[in-house]
Amino acid sequence: MSATSNTLASITNPTSGIADALTTAAERAGAWIQQHLVLLIVLAVLTAACLAVLARLRLLARRRWYAGARVVTVLPPAGLDPAVAVAGARRLWWDLPSLAPPRWKRLFAGVPHLAVEYHLAGGEDLAVRLWLPGPVPTSRIDAALRAAWPGTLVLDHAPTTSRSGQDGESAPAGMAGLVVTGGTVRPERPEHLPLRVPDPRDESVDPLRALEAVTGQLADGESAVVQILARPAVGRRLRRYRHTVDRLHSGRPGRRSALASFVSVLTRELMEIVTGSKSTASTHGTSETPRRLDPQQTEELREIRSKKQQPQWEVVLRYYAATTAHGPQAADRVRGIADSLFGAFALLAGRNALARHRLPRPRVVIAARRLRRGALLSAGELSALAHLPARTEALASGQARSVPAPPHTTRRI
């Protein structure tokens, strides 16, 4: 009689049967935990110890990056055409993803990053510098630069650390009294949407041309730095990005978390029990009608797919402007210079666009050269952001060469 009543109760009130099943499962899980409590404690301690050792190894590896870091100044070859400058950068950023260490090494040390810096100062021309961490050999970068732009001259600076100043920046004395304004730049839309990569033959949309114009407007005591941190995108971050692009092309919905999927399935099953009906998918089968895309969506998907087929980089862009002057006019002046720096890269707005955000203590952050997580950009997008300027005053002073420079010309300053 009791079994019959329980069956009738479960039919009339299906939620009570689910609650009883969950209670039974919880009781069994509690009994199993009590029985194997010592084993669980040992496993938890071992897991915590392994994670602590892994974190320590990564910290030591990153300290070695900055302890053995170098800064090199790159002078472009004579007669460098704007189209050739961007084409060389495209080759460079297609070549350098090979710097990523193997998978087992990334687990203990991570992936080192590079820094491309444009230094602007009053009365000086635009200077291009590369910051190289300890694991990255200078000879490898030197060979990649000469392959991208034959005739490039590389000037090595003394080794620096992340706790130092601006690493060779020719700043005036009294740095503590500078008026500084800066920010960081990130894509304002999802990272699978590409930026507009302009035609390299069109000089009017070259960001470095705008930076050179800002350099010509700087007065004595004014300076600015634009920093681009980049590391090859590998591992889980790259797989997640590619899965997102594949879902967009197949028309599948975005990935949900395991908890959200469980709640969705449980809710659907409960509704089927209560209402006695089945879901639309089970009633009508799993066949789906083909999607109809308008031409604009088709073009957008084509550009997204084109970005996916290129090497991907994690990129962070930061900038600041500083002056030795003081007062309200000095603050307005550096804000105007900072707006001009951001405007140089706002030219790349297309399917995606760059948006600026506040950066506390910009000089300290830029000097530290830390890269935790960046936006995914393709090699083509990165080449539009980071390449050699087509013209500098160094070309007229005979410091650059029109033919590949021999190895003995690299000198230390």
mmCIF file of all heavy atoms in Angstrom, residues 365-400:
data_model
loop_
_atom_site.group_PDB
_atom_site.id
_atom_site.type_symbol
_atom_site.label_atom_id
_atom_site.label_comp_id
_atom_site.label_asym_id
_atom_site.label_seq_id
_atom_site.Cartn_x
_atom_site.Cartn_y
_atom_site.Cartn_z
ATOM 1 N N VAL A 365 53.538 52.459 -15.247
ATOM 2 C CA VAL A 365 53.020 51.253 -15.894
ATOM 3 C C VAL A 365 53.772 50.977 -17.196
ATOM 4 O O VAL A 365 54.146 49.834 -17.492
ATOM 5 C CB VAL A 365 51.509 51.405 -16.150
ATOM 6 C CG1 VAL A 365 50.985 50.226 -16.958
ATOM 7 C CG2 VAL A 365 50.766 51.505 -14.836
ATOM 8 N N ILE A 366 54.026 52.021 -17.982
ATOM 9 C CA ILE A 366 54.731 51.828 -19.245
ATOM 10 C C ILE A 366 56.183 51.419 -19.003
ATOM 11 O O ILE A 366 56.741 50.589 -19.727
ATOM 12 C CB ILE A 366 54.631 53.113 -20.088
ATOM 13 C CG1 ILE A 366 53.202 53.263 -20.615
ATOM 14 C CG2 ILE A 366 55.624 53.098 -21.243
ATOM 15 C CD1 ILE A 366 52.970 54.505 -21.432
ATOM 16 N N ALA A 367 56.804 51.985 -17.966
ATOM 17 C CA ALA A 367 58.180 51.601 -17.653
ATOM 18 C C ALA A 367 58.267 50.145 -17.184
ATOM 19 O O ALA A 367 59.275 49.478 -17.416
ATOM 20 C CB ALA A 367 58.752 52.529 -16.596
ATOM 21 N N ALA A 368 57.224 49.645 -16.522
ATOM 22 C CA ALA A 368 57.247 48.257 -16.036
ATOM 23 C C ALA A 368 57.118 47.245 -17.169
ATOM 24 O O ALA A 368 57.617 46.126 -17.063
ATOM 25 C CB ALA A 368 56.133 48.042 -15.018
ATOM 26 N N ARG A 369 56.428 47.601 -18.244
ATOM 27 C CA ARG A 369 56.266 46.729 -19.418
ATOM 28 C C ARG A 369 55.653 45.380 -19.042
ATOM 29 O O ARG A 369 56.121 44.312 -19.468
ATOM 30 C CB ARG A 369 57.598 46.520 -20.135
ATOM 31 C CG ARG A 369 58.235 47.812 -20.638
ATOM 32 C CD ARG A 369 59.479 47.519 -21.444
ATOM 33 N NE ARG A 369 60.065 48.739 -21.981
ATOM 34 C CZ ARG A 369 61.049 49.421 -21.414
ATOM 35 N NH1 ARG A 369 61.564 48.990 -20.273
ATOM 36 N NH2 ARG A 369 61.530 50.516 -21.970
ATOM 37 N N ARG A 370 54.576 45.422 -18.276
ATOM 38 C CA ARG A 370 53.889 44.194 -17.882
ATOM 39 C C ARG A 370 52.763 43.902 -18.857
ATOM 40 O O ARG A 370 52.032 44.794 -19.262
ATOM 41 C CB ARG A 370 53.307 44.343 -16.470
ATOM 42 C CG ARG A 370 54.334 44.689 -15.398
ATOM 43 C CD ARG A 370 55.195 43.500 -15.062
ATOM 44 N NE ARG A 370 56.139 43.810 -13.985
ATOM 45 C CZ ARG A 370 57.029 42.953 -13.514
ATOM 46 N NH1 ARG A 370 57.093 41.732 -14.013
ATOM 47 N NH2 ARG A 370 57.861 43.304 -12.549
ATOM 48 N N LEU A 371 52.621 42.642 -19.223
ATOM 49 C CA LEU A 371 51.534 42.202 -20.081
ATOM 50 C C LEU A 371 50.864 40.998 -19.432
ATOM 51 O O LEU A 371 51.440 39.910 -19.370
ATOM 52 C CB LEU A 371 52.064 41.834 -21.475
ATOM 53 C CG LEU A 371 51.034 41.222 -22.448
ATOM 54 C CD1 LEU A 371 49.849 42.151 -22.626
ATOM 55 C CD2 LEU A 371 51.682 40.907 -23.782
ATOM 56 N N ARG A 372 49.665 41.217 -18.920
ATOM 57 C CA ARG A 372 48.912 40.128 -18.304
ATOM 58 C C ARG A 372 47.940 39.494 -19.299
ATOM 59 O O ARG A 372 47.959 38.300 -19.528
ATOM 60 C CB ARG A 372 48.169 40.640 -17.069
ATOM 61 C CG ARG A 372 49.095 41.014 -15.924
ATOM 62 C CD ARG A 372 48.315 41.502 -14.702
ATOM 63 N NE ARG A 372 49.193 41.740 -13.566
ATOM 64 C CZ ARG A 372 49.876 42.850 -13.364
ATOM 65 N NH1 ARG A 372 49.762 43.855 -14.225
ATOM 66 N NH2 ARG A 372 50.662 42.991 -12.311
ATOM 67 N N ARG A 373 47.092 40.301 -19.879
ATOM 68 C CA ARG A 373 46.116 39.809 -20.861
ATOM 69 C C ARG A 373 45.867 40.913 -21.872
ATOM 70 O O ARG A 373 45.590 42.056 -21.494
ATOM 71 C CB ARG A 373 44.801 39.395 -20.189
ATOM 72 C CG ARG A 373 43.769 38.826 -21.156
ATOM 73 C CD ARG A 373 42.494 38.463 -20.413
ATOM 74 N NE ARG A 373 41.450 37.999 -21.308
ATOM 75 C CZ ARG A 373 41.301 36.739 -21.715
ATOM 76 N NH1 ARG A 373 42.156 35.825 -21.300
ATOM 77 N NH2 ARG A 373 40.316 36.388 -22.536
ATOM 78 N N GLY A 374 45.980 40.572 -23.136
ATOM 79 C CA GLY A 374 45.781 41.561 -24.178
ATOM 80 C C GLY A 374 44.676 41.160 -25.130
ATOM 81 O O GLY A 374 44.100 40.069 -25.037
ATOM 82 N N ALA A 375 44.374 42.052 -26.064
ATOM 83 C CA ALA A 375 43.381 41.786 -27.092
ATOM 84 C C ALA A 375 44.020 40.996 -28.229
ATOM 85 O O ALA A 375 45.188 41.195 -28.558
ATOM 86 C CB ALA A 375 42.795 43.094 -27.618
ATOM 87 N N LEU A 376 43.246 40.106 -28.834
ATOM 88 C CA LEU A 376 43.755 39.298 -29.932
ATOM 89 C C LEU A 376 43.703 40.106 -31.228
ATOM 90 O O LEU A 376 42.626 40.536 -31.655
ATOM 91 C CB LEU A 376 42.927 38.018 -30.080
ATOM 92 C CG LEU A 376 43.236 36.877 -29.117
ATOM 93 C CD1 LEU A 376 42.409 35.655 -29.461
ATOM 94 C CD2 LEU A 376 44.707 36.533 -29.128
ATOM 95 N N LEU A 377 44.864 40.294 -31.835
ATOM 96 C CA LEU A 377 44.973 40.960 -33.124
ATOM 97 C C LEU A 377 45.739 40.051 -34.070
ATOM 98 O O LEU A 377 46.647 39.328 -33.657
ATOM 99 C CB LEU A 377 45.694 42.306 -32.999
ATOM 100 C CG LEU A 377 45.039 43.382 -32.133
ATOM 101 C CD1 LEU A 377 45.864 44.664 -32.174
ATOM 102 C CD2 LEU A 377 43.609 43.659 -32.566
ATOM 103 N N SER A 378 45.386 40.105 -35.334
ATOM 104 C CA SER A 378 46.084 39.314 -36.336
ATOM 105 C C SER A 378 47.396 39.982 -36.706
ATOM 106 O O SER A 378 47.666 41.136 -36.342
ATOM 107 C CB SER A 378 45.208 39.148 -37.572
ATOM 108 O OG SER A 378 44.995 40.411 -38.193
ATOM 109 N N ALA A 379 48.226 39.254 -37.448
ATOM 110 C CA ALA A 379 49.504 39.809 -37.886
ATOM 111 C C ALA A 379 49.295 41.024 -38.783
ATOM 112 O O ALA A 379 50.076 41.988 -38.729
ATOM 113 C CB ALA A 379 50.316 38.741 -38.610
ATOM 114 N N GLY A 380 48.247 41.012 -39.597
ATOM 115 C CA GLY A 380 47.969 42.163 -40.443
ATOM 116 C C GLY A 380 47.573 43.392 -39.646
ATOM 117 O O GLY A 380 48.010 44.511 -39.944
ATOM 118 N N GLU A 381 46.732 43.203 -38.620
ATOM 119 C CA GLU A 381 46.341 44.333 -37.776
ATOM 120 C C GLU A 381 47.532 44.869 -36.997
ATOM 121 O O GLU A 381 47.700 46.088 -36.856
ATOM 122 C CB GLU A 381 45.231 43.890 -36.819
ATOM 123 C CG GLU A 381 43.933 43.530 -37.510
ATOM 124 C CD GLU A 381 42.939 42.883 -36.567
ATOM 125 O OE1 GLU A 381 43.324 41.914 -35.873
ATOM 126 O OE2 GLU A 381 41.796 43.332 -36.518
ATOM 127 N N LEU A 382 48.363 43.969 -36.478
ATOM 128 C CA LEU A 382 49.525 44.404 -35.715
ATOM 129 C C LEU A 382 50.534 45.119 -36.603
ATOM 130 O O LEU A 382 51.191 46.066 -36.164
ATOM 131 C CB LEU A 382 50.171 43.200 -35.033
ATOM 132 C CG LEU A 382 51.335 43.487 -34.086
ATOM 133 C CD1 LEU A 382 50.951 44.500 -33.017
ATOM 134 C CD2 LEU A 382 51.832 42.203 -33.447
ATOM 135 N N SER A 383 50.660 44.699 -37.857
ATOM 136 C CA SER A 383 51.580 45.386 -38.761
ATOM 137 C C SER A 383 51.122 46.804 -39.055
ATOM 138 O O SER A 383 51.949 47.689 -39.284
ATOM 139 C CB SER A 383 51.712 44.597 -40.062
ATOM 140 O OG SER A 383 50.471 44.552 -40.750
ATOM 141 N N ALA A 384 49.813 47.052 -39.057
ATOM 142 C CA ALA A 384 49.325 48.424 -39.232
ATOM 143 C C ALA A 384 49.612 49.281 -38.016
ATOM 144 O O ALA A 384 49.783 50.499 -38.136
ATOM 145 C CB ALA A 384 47.822 48.408 -39.534
ATOM 146 N N LEU A 385 49.687 48.656 -36.825
ATOM 147 C CA LEU A 385 49.972 49.399 -35.600
ATOM 148 C C LEU A 385 51.464 49.608 -35.389
ATOM 149 O O LEU A 385 51.885 50.695 -34.971
ATOM 150 C CB LEU A 385 49.393 48.655 -34.391
ATOM 151 C CG LEU A 385 47.879 48.642 -34.212
ATOM 152 C CD1 LEU A 385 47.511 47.718 -33.064
ATOM 153 C CD2 LEU A 385 47.354 50.038 -33.936
ATOM 154 N N ALA A 386 52.259 48.586 -35.627
ATOM 155 C CA ALA A 386 53.682 48.598 -35.272
ATOM 156 C C ALA A 386 54.524 48.298 -36.505
ATOM 157 O O ALA A 386 54.613 47.143 -36.937
ATOM 158 C CB ALA A 386 53.963 47.567 -34.166
ATOM 159 N N HIS A 387 55.117 49.323 -37.076
ATOM 160 C CA HIS A 387 56.051 49.168 -38.188
ATOM 161 C C HIS A 387 57.025 50.336 -38.157
ATOM 162 O O HIS A 387 56.879 51.267 -37.355
ATOM 163 C CB HIS A 387 55.317 49.095 -39.526
ATOM 164 C CG HIS A 387 54.440 50.276 -39.811
ATOM 165 N ND1 HIS A 387 53.125 50.329 -39.424
ATOM 166 C CD2 HIS A 387 54.690 51.457 -40.428
ATOM 167 C CE1 HIS A 387 52.595 51.480 -39.794
ATOM 168 N NE2 HIS A 387 53.529 52.192 -40.396
ATOM 169 N N LEU A 388 57.996 50.291 -39.008
ATOM 170 C CA LEU A 388 58.995 51.355 -39.041
ATOM 171 C C LEU A 388 58.446 52.580 -39.766
ATOM 172 O O LEU A 388 57.691 52.440 -40.736
ATOM 173 C CB LEU A 388 60.264 50.879 -39.741
ATOM 174 C CG LEU A 388 61.098 49.820 -39.023
ATOM 175 C CD1 LEU A 388 62.377 49.539 -39.808
ATOM 176 C CD2 LEU A 388 61.435 50.247 -37.612
ATOM 177 N N PRO A 389 58.811 53.764 -39.325
ATOM 178 C CA PRO A 389 58.383 54.969 -40.052
ATOM 179 C C PRO A 389 59.082 55.058 -41.397
ATOM 180 O O PRO A 389 60.221 54.622 -41.562
ATOM 181 C CB PRO A 389 58.790 56.108 -39.116
ATOM 182 C CG PRO A 389 59.903 55.546 -38.299
ATOM 183 C CD PRO A 389 59.601 54.086 -38.135
ATOM 184 N N ALA A 390 58.391 55.634 -42.357
ATOM 185 C CA ALA A 390 58.955 55.733 -43.703
ATOM 186 C C ALA A 390 60.045 56.789 -43.789
ATOM 187 O O ALA A 390 60.928 56.696 -44.629
ATOM 188 C CB ALA A 390 57.845 56.052 -44.715
ATOM 189 N N ARG A 391 60.026 57.788 -42.911
ATOM 190 C CA ARG A 391 61.018 58.860 -42.969
ATOM 191 C C ARG A 391 61.437 59.239 -41.550
ATOM 192 O O ARG A 391 60.596 59.397 -40.676
ATOM 193 C CB ARG A 391 60.451 60.108 -43.653
ATOM 194 C CG ARG A 391 59.978 59.870 -45.073
ATOM 195 C CD ARG A 391 59.381 61.141 -45.641
ATOM 196 N NE ARG A 391 58.826 60.927 -46.967
ATOM 197 C CZ ARG A 391 57.587 60.525 -47.194
ATOM 198 N NH1 ARG A 391 56.794 60.283 -46.177
ATOM 199 N NH2 ARG A 391 57.153 60.354 -48.424
ATOM 200 N N THR A 392 62.723 59.380 -41.344
ATOM 201 C CA THR A 392 63.258 59.959 -40.112
ATOM 202 C C THR A 392 64.459 60.811 -40.473
ATOM 203 O O THR A 392 65.055 60.668 -41.542
ATOM 204 C CB THR A 392 63.724 58.865 -39.113
ATOM 205 O OG1 THR A 392 64.764 58.113 -39.722
ATOM 206 C CG2 THR A 392 62.583 57.953 -38.717
ATOM 207 N N GLU A 393 64.825 61.730 -39.577
ATOM 208 C CA GLU A 393 65.991 62.559 -39.827
ATOM 209 C C GLU A 393 67.280 61.743 -39.813
ATOM 210 O O GLU A 393 68.305 62.182 -40.327
ATOM 211 C CB GLU A 393 66.079 63.666 -38.783
ATOM 212 C CG GLU A 393 64.932 64.660 -38.888
ATOM 213 C CD GLU A 393 65.064 65.786 -37.882
ATOM 214 O OE1 GLU A 393 66.109 65.824 -37.209
ATOM 215 O OE2 GLU A 393 64.158 66.611 -37.781
ATOM 216 N N ALA A 394 67.225 60.540 -39.220
ATOM 217 C CA ALA A 394 68.417 59.693 -39.214
ATOM 218 C C ALA A 394 68.814 59.286 -40.624
ATOM 219 O O ALA A 394 69.982 59.007 -40.900
ATOM 220 C CB ALA A 394 68.169 58.453 -38.365
ATOM 221 N N LEU A 395 67.855 59.257 -41.547
ATOM 222 C CA LEU A 395 68.193 58.895 -42.920
ATOM 223 C C LEU A 395 69.120 59.928 -43.547
ATOM 224 O O LEU A 395 70.035 59.595 -44.289
ATOM 225 C CB LEU A 395 66.908 58.779 -43.749
ATOM 226 C CG LEU A 395 65.874 57.757 -43.247
ATOM 227 C CD1 LEU A 395 64.659 57.778 -44.144
ATOM 228 C CD2 LEU A 395 66.467 56.372 -43.200
ATOM 229 N N ALA A 396 68.861 61.213 -43.263
ATOM 230 C CA ALA A 396 69.680 62.263 -43.848
ATOM 231 C C ALA A 396 71.041 62.383 -43.191
ATOM 232 O O ALA A 396 71.968 62.947 -43.763
ATOM 233 C CB ALA A 396 68.946 63.600 -43.760
ATOM 234 N N SER A 397 71.181 61.856 -41.966
ATOM 235 C CA SER A 397 72.448 61.988 -41.251
ATOM 236 C C SER A 397 73.414 60.846 -41.529
ATOM 237 O O SER A 397 74.483 60.787 -40.945
ATOM 238 C CB SER A 397 72.189 62.059 -39.742
ATOM 239 O OG SER A 397 71.592 60.858 -39.297
ATOM 240 N N GLY A 398 73.026 59.916 -42.399
ATOM 241 C CA GLY A 398 73.938 58.846 -42.791
ATOM 242 C C GLY A 398 74.004 57.705 -41.804
ATOM 243 O O GLY A 398 74.893 56.862 -41.910
ATOM 244 N N GLN A 399 73.077 57.610 -40.841
ATOM 245 C CA GLN A 399 73.124 56.501 -39.890
ATOM 246 C C GLN A 399 72.469 55.242 -40.437
ATOM 247 O O GLN A 399 72.687 54.169 -39.916
ATOM 248 C CB GLN A 399 72.431 56.908 -38.592
ATOM 249 C CG GLN A 399 73.204 57.947 -37.808
ATOM 250 C CD GLN A 399 72.456 58.312 -36.544
ATOM 251 O OE1 GLN A 399 71.278 58.627 -36.577
ATOM 252 N NE2 GLN A 399 73.135 58.274 -35.427
ATOM 253 N N ALA A 400 71.645 55.375 -41.465
ATOM 254 C CA ALA A 400 71.004 54.208 -42.047
ATOM 255 C C ALA A 400 71.654 53.884 -43.376
ATOM 256 O O ALA A 400 72.287 54.728 -44.000
ATOM 257 C CB ALA A 400 69.512 54.458 -42.233
#
